[in-house]
mmCIF file of all heavy atoms in Angstrom:
data_model
loop_
_atom_site.group_PDB
_atom_site.id
_atom_site.type_symbol
_atom_site.label_atom_id
_atom_site.label_comp_id
_atom_site.label_asym_id
_atom_site.label_seq_id
_atom_site.Cartn_x
_atom_site.Cartn_y
_atom_site.Cartn_z
ATOM 1 N N ASP A 138 16.042 -13.401 39.742
ATOM 2 C CA ASP A 138 15.748 -14.772 40.208
ATOM 3 C C ASP A 138 14.790 -15.500 39.279
ATOM 4 O O ASP A 138 13.948 -16.286 39.705
ATOM 5 C CB ASP A 138 15.196 -14.744 41.651
ATOM 6 C CG ASP A 138 14.075 -13.741 41.795
ATOM 7 O OD1 ASP A 138 13.592 -13.218 40.767
ATOM 8 O OD2 ASP A 138 13.687 -13.451 42.945
ATOM 9 N N ASN A 139 14.869 -15.242 37.991
ATOM 10 C CA ASN A 139 14.029 -15.935 37.005
ATOM 11 C C ASN A 139 14.823 -17.034 36.317
ATOM 12 O O ASN A 139 16.070 -17.005 36.314
ATOM 13 C CB ASN A 139 13.507 -14.949 35.960
ATOM 14 C CG ASN A 139 12.747 -13.799 36.610
ATOM 15 O OD1 ASN A 139 11.682 -13.952 37.149
ATOM 16 N ND2 ASN A 139 13.373 -12.601 36.572
ATOM 17 N N GLU A 140 14.110 -17.950 35.653
ATOM 18 C CA GLU A 140 14.772 -19.097 35.026
ATOM 19 C C GLU A 140 15.725 -18.669 33.898
ATOM 20 O O GLU A 140 16.688 -19.364 33.616
ATOM 21 C CB GLU A 140 13.711 -20.074 34.494
ATOM 22 C CG GLU A 140 12.746 -19.393 33.503
ATOM 23 C CD GLU A 140 11.730 -20.359 32.895
ATOM 24 O OE1 GLU A 140 11.955 -21.566 32.999
ATOM 25 O OE2 GLU A 140 10.716 -19.855 32.341
ATOM 26 N N TRP A 141 15.450 -17.519 33.255
ATOM 27 C CA TRP A 141 16.287 -17.120 32.121
ATOM 28 C C TRP A 141 17.533 -16.340 32.550
ATOM 29 O O TRP A 141 18.384 -16.035 31.736
ATOM 30 C CB TRP A 141 15.485 -16.288 31.117
ATOM 31 C CG TRP A 141 14.863 -15.043 31.718
ATOM 32 C CD1 TRP A 141 15.491 -13.843 31.933
ATOM 33 C CD2 TRP A 141 13.552 -14.901 32.229
ATOM 34 N NE1 TRP A 141 14.629 -12.972 32.528
ATOM 35 C CE2 TRP A 141 13.414 -13.588 32.701
ATOM 36 C CE3 TRP A 141 12.442 -15.763 32.274
ATOM 37 C CZ2 TRP A 141 12.220 -13.100 33.270
ATOM 38 C CZ3 TRP A 141 11.271 -15.281 32.829
ATOM 39 C CH2 TRP A 141 11.159 -13.985 33.317
ATOM 40 N N ASN A 142 17.608 -16.007 33.837
ATOM 41 C CA ASN A 142 18.768 -15.212 34.307
ATOM 42 C C ASN A 142 20.023 -16.085 34.424
ATOM 43 O O ASN A 142 19.932 -17.293 34.659
ATOM 44 C CB ASN A 142 18.478 -14.549 35.645
ATOM 45 C CG ASN A 142 17.433 -13.449 35.530
ATOM 46 O OD1 ASN A 142 16.444 -13.437 36.228
ATOM 47 N ND2 ASN A 142 17.652 -12.524 34.594
ATOM 48 N N THR A 143 21.170 -15.443 34.248
ATOM 49 C CA THR A 143 22.481 -16.140 34.350
ATOM 50 C C THR A 143 23.134 -15.726 35.670
ATOM 51 O O THR A 143 22.703 -14.758 36.315
ATOM 52 C CB THR A 143 23.407 -15.716 33.187
ATOM 53 O OG1 THR A 143 23.620 -14.301 33.279
ATOM 54 C CG2 THR A 143 22.789 -16.067 31.849
ATOM 55 N N PRO A 144 24.162 -16.450 36.091
ATOM 56 C CA PRO A 144 24.861 -16.078 37.345
ATOM 57 C C PRO A 144 25.451 -14.674 37.303
ATOM 58 O O PRO A 144 25.704 -14.063 38.334
ATOM 59 C CB PRO A 144 25.968 -17.133 37.445
ATOM 60 C CG PRO A 144 25.490 -18.298 36.625
ATOM 61 C CD PRO A 144 24.697 -17.699 35.518
ATOM 62 N N SER A 145 25.690 -14.134 36.096
ATOM 63 C CA SER A 145 26.290 -12.790 36.025
ATOM 64 C C SER A 145 25.264 -11.650 36.053
ATOM 65 O O SER A 145 25.564 -10.533 35.725
ATOM 66 C CB SER A 145 27.164 -12.682 34.788
ATOM 67 O OG SER A 145 26.393 -12.906 33.632
ATOM 68 N N CYS A 146 24.035 -11.989 36.444
ATOM 69 C CA CYS A 146 22.985 -10.961 36.525
ATOM 70 C C CYS A 146 23.090 -10.199 37.849
ATOM 71 O O CYS A 146 23.328 -10.803 38.910
ATOM 72 C CB CYS A 146 21.619 -11.646 36.423
ATOM 73 S SG CYS A 146 20.230 -10.518 36.645
ATOM 74 N N ILE A 147 22.974 -8.870 37.815
ATOM 75 C CA ILE A 147 23.012 -8.073 39.053
ATOM 76 C C ILE A 147 21.974 -6.970 38.963
ATOM 77 O O ILE A 147 21.810 -6.351 37.913
ATOM 78 C CB ILE A 147 24.424 -7.506 39.314
ATOM 79 C CG1 ILE A 147 24.463 -6.749 40.644
ATOM 80 C CG2 ILE A 147 24.867 -6.585 38.150
ATOM 81 C CD1 ILE A 147 25.855 -6.381 41.093
ATOM 82 N N GLU A 148 21.226 -6.768 40.059
ATOM 83 C CA GLU A 148 20.119 -5.806 40.011
ATOM 84 C C GLU A 148 20.575 -4.371 40.213
ATOM 85 O O GLU A 148 20.092 -3.467 39.574
ATOM 86 C CB GLU A 148 19.079 -6.165 41.098
ATOM 87 C CG GLU A 148 18.243 -7.368 40.692
ATOM 88 C CD GLU A 148 17.359 -7.892 41.811
ATOM 89 O OE1 GLU A 148 16.884 -7.056 42.609
ATOM 90 O OE2 GLU A 148 17.163 -9.110 41.891
ATOM 91 N N ILE A 149 21.553 -4.156 41.131
ATOM 92 C CA ILE A 149 21.984 -2.781 41.398
ATOM 93 C C ILE A 149 23.506 -2.670 41.163
ATOM 94 O O ILE A 149 24.275 -3.397 41.736
ATOM 95 C CB ILE A 149 21.660 -2.345 42.843
ATOM 96 C CG1 ILE A 149 20.155 -2.441 43.106
ATOM 97 C CG2 ILE A 149 22.153 -0.925 43.104
ATOM 98 C CD1 ILE A 149 19.773 -2.340 44.528
ATOM 99 N N PHE A 150 23.863 -1.773 40.261
ATOM 100 C CA PHE A 150 25.286 -1.526 39.995
ATOM 101 C C PHE A 150 25.729 -0.367 40.909
ATOM 102 O O PHE A 150 25.044 0.633 40.989
ATOM 103 C CB PHE A 150 25.492 -1.066 38.552
ATOM 104 C CG PHE A 150 25.290 -2.136 37.527
ATOM 105 C CD1 PHE A 150 24.027 -2.500 37.098
ATOM 106 C CD2 PHE A 150 26.380 -2.823 36.990
ATOM 107 C CE1 PHE A 150 23.835 -3.505 36.150
ATOM 108 C CE2 PHE A 150 26.186 -3.800 36.038
ATOM 109 C CZ PHE A 150 24.940 -4.140 35.611
ATOM 110 N N HIS A 151 26.885 -0.518 41.513
ATOM 111 C CA HIS A 151 27.413 0.596 42.297
ATOM 112 C C HIS A 151 28.487 1.287 41.464
ATOM 113 O O HIS A 151 29.619 1.384 41.857
ATOM 114 C CB HIS A 151 27.996 0.093 43.621
ATOM 115 C CG HIS A 151 26.943 -0.422 44.550
ATOM 116 N ND1 HIS A 151 26.362 0.351 45.507
ATOM 117 C CD2 HIS A 151 26.341 -1.642 44.618
ATOM 118 C CE1 HIS A 151 25.435 -0.371 46.169
ATOM 119 N NE2 HIS A 151 25.416 -1.585 45.641
ATOM 120 N N GLN A 152 28.060 1.761 40.301
ATOM 121 C CA GLN A 152 29.050 2.273 39.375
ATOM 122 C C GLN A 152 29.611 3.632 39.750
ATOM 123 O O GLN A 152 30.681 4.026 39.273
ATOM 124 C CB GLN A 152 28.461 2.352 37.951
ATOM 125 C CG GLN A 152 28.479 0.977 37.287
ATOM 126 C CD GLN A 152 27.653 1.008 36.010
ATOM 127 O OE1 GLN A 152 26.564 1.526 35.971
ATOM 128 N NE2 GLN A 152 28.190 0.397 34.966
ATOM 129 N N GLN A 153 28.874 4.340 40.644
ATOM 130 C CA GLN A 153 29.404 5.681 41.013
ATOM 131 C C GLN A 153 30.757 5.543 41.731
ATOM 132 O O GLN A 153 31.564 6.452 41.695
ATOM 133 C CB GLN A 153 28.395 6.479 41.863
ATOM 134 C CG GLN A 153 28.037 5.825 43.186
ATOM 135 C CD GLN A 153 26.798 4.949 43.021
ATOM 136 O OE1 GLN A 153 26.648 4.278 42.013
ATOM 137 N NE2 GLN A 153 25.930 4.964 44.027
ATOM 138 N N ASN A 154 30.978 4.392 42.366
ATOM 139 C CA ASN A 154 32.260 4.175 43.054
ATOM 140 C C ASN A 154 33.371 3.794 42.085
ATOM 141 O O ASN A 154 34.518 3.717 42.442
ATOM 142 C CB ASN A 154 32.131 3.045 44.096
ATOM 143 C CG ASN A 154 31.016 3.313 45.086
ATOM 144 O OD1 ASN A 154 30.684 4.463 45.319
ATOM 145 N ND2 ASN A 154 30.445 2.287 45.659
ATOM 146 N N CYS A 155 32.985 3.519 40.843
ATOM 147 C CA CYS A 155 33.971 3.004 39.860
ATOM 148 C C CYS A 155 34.296 4.022 38.773
ATOM 149 O O CYS A 155 34.875 3.683 37.766
ATOM 150 C CB CYS A 155 33.432 1.736 39.211
ATOM 151 S SG CYS A 155 33.222 0.363 40.338
ATOM 152 N N LYS A 156 33.877 5.298 38.977
ATOM 153 C CA LYS A 156 34.064 6.256 37.909
ATOM 154 C C LYS A 156 35.549 6.511 37.658
ATOM 155 O O LYS A 156 35.964 6.763 36.560
ATOM 156 C CB LYS A 156 33.369 7.567 38.268
ATOM 157 C CG LYS A 156 31.884 7.505 37.945
ATOM 158 C CD LYS A 156 31.228 8.836 38.197
ATOM 159 C CE LYS A 156 29.741 8.757 37.882
ATOM 160 N NZ LYS A 156 29.011 9.955 38.278
ATOM 161 N N ASN A 157 36.359 6.446 38.716
ATOM 162 C CA ASN A 157 37.779 6.699 38.576
ATOM 163 C C ASN A 157 38.456 5.389 38.133
ATOM 164 O O ASN A 157 38.320 4.355 38.783
ATOM 165 C CB ASN A 157 38.340 7.147 39.924
ATOM 166 C CG ASN A 157 39.774 7.636 39.775
ATOM 167 O OD1 ASN A 157 40.505 7.124 38.954
ATOM 168 N ND2 ASN A 157 40.165 8.604 40.588
ATOM 169 N N GLY A 158 39.187 5.435 37.064
ATOM 170 C CA GLY A 158 39.812 4.232 36.507
ATOM 171 C C GLY A 158 40.748 3.529 37.465
ATOM 172 O O GLY A 158 41.003 2.337 37.368
ATOM 173 N N SER A 159 41.340 4.266 38.431
ATOM 174 C CA SER A 159 42.308 3.657 39.341
ATOM 175 C C SER A 159 41.684 2.708 40.325
ATOM 176 O O SER A 159 42.352 2.001 41.066
ATOM 177 C CB SER A 159 43.084 4.755 40.081
ATOM 178 O OG SER A 159 42.152 5.504 40.853
ATOM 179 N N PHE A 160 40.339 2.697 40.356
ATOM 180 C CA PHE A 160 39.633 1.809 41.302
ATOM 181 C C PHE A 160 39.362 0.424 40.728
ATOM 182 O O PHE A 160 38.583 -0.321 41.269
ATOM 183 C CB PHE A 160 38.282 2.430 41.720
ATOM 184 C CG PHE A 160 38.435 3.634 42.601
ATOM 185 C CD1 PHE A 160 37.502 4.666 42.524
ATOM 186 C CD2 PHE A 160 39.472 3.742 43.518
ATOM 187 C CE1 PHE A 160 37.622 5.812 43.332
ATOM 188 C CE2 PHE A 160 39.583 4.870 44.314
ATOM 189 C CZ PHE A 160 38.682 5.893 44.224
ATOM 190 N N ALA A 161 39.980 0.082 39.585
ATOM 191 C CA ALA A 161 39.613 -1.153 38.907
ATOM 192 C C ALA A 161 39.688 -2.386 39.805
ATOM 193 O O ALA A 161 38.888 -3.294 39.668
ATOM 194 C CB ALA A 161 40.507 -1.345 37.686
ATOM 195 N N ASN A 162 40.642 -2.399 40.729
ATOM 196 C CA ASN A 162 40.796 -3.573 41.576
ATOM 197 C C ASN A 162 40.202 -3.388 42.977
ATOM 198 O O ASN A 162 40.424 -4.202 43.857
ATOM 199 C CB ASN A 162 42.269 -3.962 41.684
ATOM 200 C CG ASN A 162 42.826 -4.321 40.326
ATOM 201 O OD1 ASN A 162 42.171 -5.036 39.572
ATOM 202 N ND2 ASN A 162 44.026 -3.815 39.981
ATOM 203 N N THR A 163 39.496 -2.288 43.166
ATOM 204 C CA THR A 163 38.912 -2.012 44.477
ATOM 205 C C THR A 163 37.614 -2.800 44.649
ATOM 206 O O THR A 163 36.799 -2.843 43.763
ATOM 207 C CB THR A 163 38.596 -0.504 44.627
ATOM 208 O OG1 THR A 163 39.723 0.226 44.193
ATOM 209 C CG2 THR A 163 38.223 -0.123 46.038
ATOM 210 N N THR A 164 37.456 -3.377 45.825
ATOM 211 C CA THR A 164 36.213 -4.103 46.101
ATOM 212 C C THR A 164 35.129 -3.069 46.485
ATOM 213 O O THR A 164 35.351 -2.304 47.414
ATOM 214 C CB THR A 164 36.408 -5.108 47.249
ATOM 215 O OG1 THR A 164 37.472 -5.968 46.861
ATOM 216 C CG2 THR A 164 35.152 -5.916 47.470
ATOM 217 N N VAL A 165 33.996 -3.063 45.766
ATOM 218 C CA VAL A 165 32.976 -2.036 46.043
ATOM 219 C C VAL A 165 31.678 -2.607 46.501
ATOM 220 O O VAL A 165 30.980 -2.021 47.320
ATOM 221 C CB VAL A 165 32.740 -1.124 44.797
ATOM 222 C CG1 VAL A 165 33.879 -0.181 44.601
ATOM 223 C CG2 VAL A 165 32.472 -1.930 43.568
ATOM 224 N N ALA A 166 31.257 -3.757 45.966
ATOM 225 C CA ALA A 166 29.939 -4.284 46.337
ATOM 226 C C ALA A 166 29.935 -5.787 46.192
ATOM 227 O O ALA A 166 30.496 -6.329 45.240
ATOM 228 C CB ALA A 166 28.882 -3.684 45.459
ATOM 229 N N ALA A 167 29.291 -6.445 47.134
ATOM 230 C CA ALA A 167 29.130 -7.903 47.084
ATOM 231 C C ALA A 167 30.477 -8.587 46.836
ATOM 232 O O ALA A 167 30.584 -9.553 46.077
ATOM 233 C CB ALA A 167 28.124 -8.300 46.011
#
Side-chain angles (χ1 to χ4, degrees):
D138 49 10
N139 304 290
E140 56 177 345
W141 58 82
N142 292 126
T143 60
S145 59
C146 176
I147 185 170
E148 285 171 35
I149 300 167
F150 289 81
H151 291 266
Q152 280 169 316
Q153 61 268 39
N154 304 334
C155 296
K156 280 184 179 171
N157 189 327
S159 61
F160 289 146
N162 298 316
T163 312
T164 303
V165 286

